[in-house]
Amino acid sequence: MAKKLRFIIIGAGMAGMLAGIRLKERGDHDFTIYEKGNSVGGTWRENHYPGLACDTPAHSYTYSFATNPEWSAFYAPGPEIRAYFEGVADKYDLKRQIEFNSEIAACRFEGGRWHLSTTDGREDVADVVIAATGVLHHPNVPDIPGLKAFQGPVFHSARWDHSVPLEGKSVGVIGNGSTGVQIVSAVSKVAGKLTHFLRSPQWIMPCPDLKYTDEDKAAFRDDPAKIDEVRNGPEAAARRARFTAAIIDMDSPELAEIQTICERNLEESVRDPILREKLRPDYRAACKRMVFSAHYYNAVQRPNVDVAPGSIERVEANGVRMKDGSFHELDVIALATGFKVDQFVRPMEIEGQGGQSLDALWEEHPRAYYAVTVPGFPNFFLLNGPTGPVGNFTLIDIAEAQWGYADQLIDLLRKGECDAVAPSMAALEDYEARRTEAAKRTVFASGCSSWYLDKYGIPQVWPWSYDYFRAVMAKPDLRDYELTQG
Ligand code: NAP
């Protein structure tokens, strides 16, 4: 007899929606998705800054079961991606099972079930919790002296204030990860003056600015194999294999090739040798998350654009003072300063077996067995959790593989083979020891700062090949799991 389980999914972003759709497909209709925002789409709801796009090819950045022939470009703009998720939620009739504006405050495992409460005091109980909270959603507002005293508007990239006009204004953009580079590429077209503050210049990977024509879309519509070709064809596979080989081994020829492409892009795109040197990083390409852009080097060569390398001393009432004493007068400051990435499911308070807290287990840094399960926290599954693959992969693909893994463990509960499933602490420790050793050899540890690193400088990421990730996710090794009854 199959046991009927109740599920709670936390988050209605890409991964939470995936879990809901997969549960429905399996006939597991007893689930609720709790979402702190007022609509689906997660990061694509929260981010709406000018220039927002996804630098993973659009046809790869879709669910495998909901491909989309209508993408307007090889790299889709943010609003189109948000509309895609809205459309998928409607197609699979998910919204009826989503509690919007509902932030989970606490989850407690007691009496063999998970007891959850929201920040406004509602309670719910489930057999299984799927934590699909994402990682890049707590804005990092830097502690720059004087920032609060700036007399003009200041906002973080993930809280963009569209009521602030930028036309003709002096705009400062602080930060040059993927977000800052996309913002500068767009806002430089309208601002009177734009200053891009670069604490650490970034290597820029050139990429095509390819728009799909009506004929292209019709071809994708008429022949789904053409979409599959973009997603899984030899070119996509080779690109993934090359990138994986480069990041897991800092001495690889693949990384040397990426370095050459980025250096050539800088040499050939930026005419002024002084500007070129201001833009040249002093660390290796792909050490930070690779920035792809077809437009950034053009943008910084516009006459109304200035780059300000180095560290900021303080923000003054009407601009930014650099440590070298130079001053940049500004009307508006946009903070493209990234996210607090060690949060994952926090600030939720999560209590597992015997009242143990996840915060205590994660005191050093967030950890999960193969990025999905946590010892002492049975029937609790993370999608896009800590130490999963990062870089320029599609997180949808990653979440789908992780769901396939979690679903096999959930199946043990469905079939009544156990009431609770969690990895052993020994399995997590073995995984972490192997992972840490391999992580030290990745390019992420080759000498730069980034959000991949913990306080000891060790990358908290998947340090092995993508194929190995797929292989591990294909079937859980039950020898590493504790299955309990009652
Ligand atoms: P990020 O990669 O963490 O970059 C943050 C930037 O802010 C860095 O340039 C950092 O400089 C700078 N910064 C932070 N504090 C500063 C301070 N006090 N003074 C001066 N500069 C400061 O953040 P992000 O660009 O928002 O990107 C986050 C992640 O989002 C990316 O890694 C990517 O995974 C994702 N993303 C993806 C896309 C896409 O197209 N797929 C687009 C946007 C974002 P340092 O380098 O010196 O620390």
Side-chain angles (χ1 to χ4, degrees):
M1 277 285 284
K3 186 172 164 191
K4 280 290 168 202
L5 302 170
R6 170 153 175 75
F7 296 80
I8 286 178
I9 299 166
I10 308 175
M14 170 275 286
M17 285 176 55
L18 165 73
I21 293 166
R22 289 305 199 202
L23 285 175
K24 282 182 89 149
E25 284 173 351
R26 290 204 54 137
D28 281 318
H29 294 288
D30 188 6
F31 69 87
T32 301
I33 305 180
Y34 283 90
E35 165 54 55
K36 68 179 175 179
N38 60 8
S39 59
V40 300
T43 196
W44 302 103
R45 178 196 65 234
E46 295 206 348
N47 286 280
H48 36 76
Y49 58 76
L52 175 69
C54 182
D55 62 14
T56 301
H59 283 297
S60 299
Y61 196 78
T62 55
Y63 297 116
S64 58
F65 51 85
T67 54
N68 173 26
E70 310 304 329
W71 291 120
S72 67
F74 186 73
Y75 296 116
E80 224 177 285
I81 300 172
R82 182 175 178 189
Y84 166 79
F85 285 113
E86 286 281 348
V88 172
D90 289 336
K91 180 177 169 194
Y92 288 88
D93 197 16
L94 268 188
K95 290 181 184 167
R96 279 188 306 128
Q97 281 172 269
I98 304 176
E99 295 276 336
F100 289 109
N101 304 306
S102 299
E103 184 169 0
I104 298 292
C107 312
R108 198 179 72 253
F109 189 74
E110 197 179 301
R113 301 190 88 198
W114 282 99
H115 300 253
L116 287 86
S117 55
T118 60
T119 50
D120 58 6
R122 282 169 289 148
E123 299 195 339
D124 203 344
V125 182
D127 302 291
V128 177
V129 171
I130 314 293
T133 55
V135 51
L136 300 164
H137 62 119
H138 297 288
N140 171 42
V141 175
D143 195 12
I144 302 173
L147 190 59
K148 290 203 175 87
F150 182 68
Q151 63 190 12
V154 180
F155 43 79
H156 187 271
S157 54
R159 301 285 182 272
W160 196 271
D161 184 349
H162 293 275
S163 72
V164 175
L166 302 177
E167 289 72 15
K169 302 284 185 200
S170 290
V171 181
V173 178
I174 301 178
N176 56 323
S178 305
T179 303
V181 162
Q182 291 180 350
I183 292 171
V184 167
S185 302
V187 173
S188 59
K189 293 181 195 157
V190 297
K193 181 155 180 39
L194 186 146
T195 307
H196 196 192
F197 296 90
L198 318 175
R199 187 167 66 179
S200 331
Q202 277 269 22
W203 290 109
I204 307 289
M205 186 65 145
C207 61
D209 180 14
L210 176 66
K211 304 279 187 280
Y212 288 131
T213 62
D214 287 345
E215 289 74 35
D216 293 330
K217 292 180 205 172
F220 286 131
R221 225 175 284 133
D222 294 346
D223 183 5
K226 287 199 159 57
I227 295 179
D228 196 51
E229 176 76 14
V230 181
R231 293 171 61 85
N232 301 313
E235 211 178 297
R239 199 172 42 235
R240 198 161 46 222
R242 240 187 350 255
F243 181 66
T244 304
I247 60 176
I248 65 175
D249 177 5
M250 62 172 99
D251 298 319
S252 62
E254 287 83 358
L255 183 62
E257 191 189 345
I258 289 176
Q259 182 77 40
T260 304
I261 294 169
C262 291
E263 283 177 10
R264 198 183 305 139
N265 189 28
L266 177 62
E267 301 304 329
E268 293 176 359
S269 308
V270 181
R271 293 177 299 274
D272 174 5
I274 296 173
L275 177 60
R276 209 185 296 142
E277 292 320 302
K278 287 183 182 175
L279 292 167
R280 189 184 300 279
D282 60 1
Y283 55 86
R284 299 173 70 169
C287 184
K288 293 172 188 278
R289 195 235 187 221
M290 186 78 80
V291 175
F292 282 69
S293 181
H295 304 293
Y296 178 69
Y297 283 151
N298 285 339
V300 290
Q301 292 179 88
R302 290 200 172 99
N304 63 329
V305 177
D306 199 6
V307 301
S311 295
I312 293 170
E313 171 74 24
R314 62 179 178 274
V315 176
E316 299 183 5
N318 60 343
V320 165
R321 175 83 55 197
M322 303 299 288
K323 283 230 160 83
D324 66 8
S326 59
F327 183 73
H328 301 272
E329 198 170 326
L330 300 171
D331 301 314
V332 181
I333 296 177
L335 301 169
T337 43
F339 297 86
K340 293 179 186 155
V341 293
D342 62 343
Q343 299 284 303
F344 288 94
V345 295
R346 296 181 282 187
M348 263 184 278
E349 283 174 24
I350 304 193
E351 266 182 35
Q353 268 166 335
Q356 60 185 305
S357 86
L358 191 67
D359 250 351
L361 185 72
W362 284 9
E363 195 182 353
E364 280 292 308
H365 55 78
R367 31 196 205 136
Y369 175 68
Y370 285 116
V372 180
T373 50
V374 186
F377 296 77
N379 309 348
F380 183 88
F381 302 93
L382 292 145
L383 296 179
N384 288 316
T387 73
V390 295
N392 300 75
F393 299 114
T394 155
L395 284 181
I396 300 189
D397 216 37
I398 291 163
E400 286 195 15
Q402 290 173 332
W403 175 259
Y405 178 93
D407 194 43
Q408 292 177 61
L409 295 168
I410 294 167
D411 231 17
L412 302 173
L413 307 173
R414 287 188 188 102
K415 289 180 187 152
E417 288 181 25
C418 63
D419 294 319
V421 58
S424 67
M425 185 54 88
L428 175 66
E429 281 171 356
D430 172 65
Y431 164 73
E432 275 291 280
R434 288 183 291 117
R435 194 193 61 74
T436 302
E437 275 317 299
K440 291 177 188 165
R441 294 191 291 275
T442 63
V443 65
F444 307 128
S446 68
C448 67
S449 66
S450 82
W451 67 265
Y452 297 156
L453 306 179
D454 69 6
K455 59 187 173 190
Y456 306 109
I458 296 173
Q460 293 304 318
V461 299
W462 187 264
W464 301 293
S465 74
Y466 200 70
D467 287 346
Y468 180 58
F469 168 72
R470 300 301 298 246
V472 171
M473 290 296 104
K475 193 168 172 46
D477 184 344
L478 292 186
R479 289 170 303 183
D480 288 339
Y481 277 88
E482 289 170 355
L483 279 49
T484 47
Q485 296 281 6

